[in-house]
Amino acid sequence: MAKIIPLSGGEENANQLVTVQLGDFLVDIELHYQQSGQWLAYVLPNGDAGELPTYTVNDIEYLFPAIMLEPGCDIIKSYRVTDLFGQLFIAGDEPTLENLGTNNKLVWFAPNEVVSYS
């Protein structure tokens, strides 16, 4: 079953942290709005990362560092962890500072419910 991860738009939420259970993994998702008009997400393990590979940047351990929130595609596809972690999609409109979480949603799909866009 897909899970919608709650996000909030607006200038007061230009930097936010969401902690969410995604299947077997408790993760922290940091979101930062960029001057370029794009949102970047950083996914960090909140506890044991299990078999998932991690990436250390400036002494911080990430599952997925610096992911652009682009609609209509699996935003973590390049990490090749679909069979272990699942997929993350932005569904809806292109995220802006004001419409994040309103006109779009961050949706996680478990490994056993892999989806694709055509």
Side-chain angles (χ1 to χ4, degrees):
M1 180 157 92
K3 181 170 190 166
I4 296 174
I5 300 163
L7 304 177
S8 301
E11 191 171 337
E12 65 277 8
N13 297 306
N15 297 293
Q16 58 186 287
L17 174 69
V18 177
T19 301
V20 62
Q21 185 77 39
L22 300 177
D24 295 335
F25 304 98
L26 181 64
V27 298
D28 292 328
I29 303 174
E30 291 181 1
L31 293 128
H32 302 283
Y33 188 73
Q34 305 298 300
Q35 293 271 346
S36 64
Q38 296 284 324
W39 282 95
L40 283 181
Y42 299 81
V43 181
L44 301 91
N46 185 323
D48 185 12
E51 296 178 36
L52 288 174
T54 59
Y55 305 86
T56 303
V57 179
N58 296 329
D59 296 325
I60 300 172
E61 185 178 36
Y62 295 96
L63 294 174
F64 315 114
I67 307 163
M68 302 243 337
L69 299 187
E70 297 181 40
C73 64
D74 177 6
I75 61 175
I76 59 171
K77 182 178 183 174
S78 65
Y79 291 94
R80 300 173 192 212
V81 293
T82 303
D83 57 335
L84 294 172
F85 183 81
Q87 297 173 293
L88 281 174
F89 284 86
I90 291 289
D93 295 342
E94 181 85 27
T96 67
L97 180 60
E98 295 303 321
N99 79 4
L100 185 69
T102 304
N103 295 13
N104 45 59
K105 304 286 183 225
L106 181 57
V107 184
W108 172 78
F109 293 93
N112 63 341
E113 54 184 358
V114 172
V115 299
S116 64
Y117 278 84
S118 48

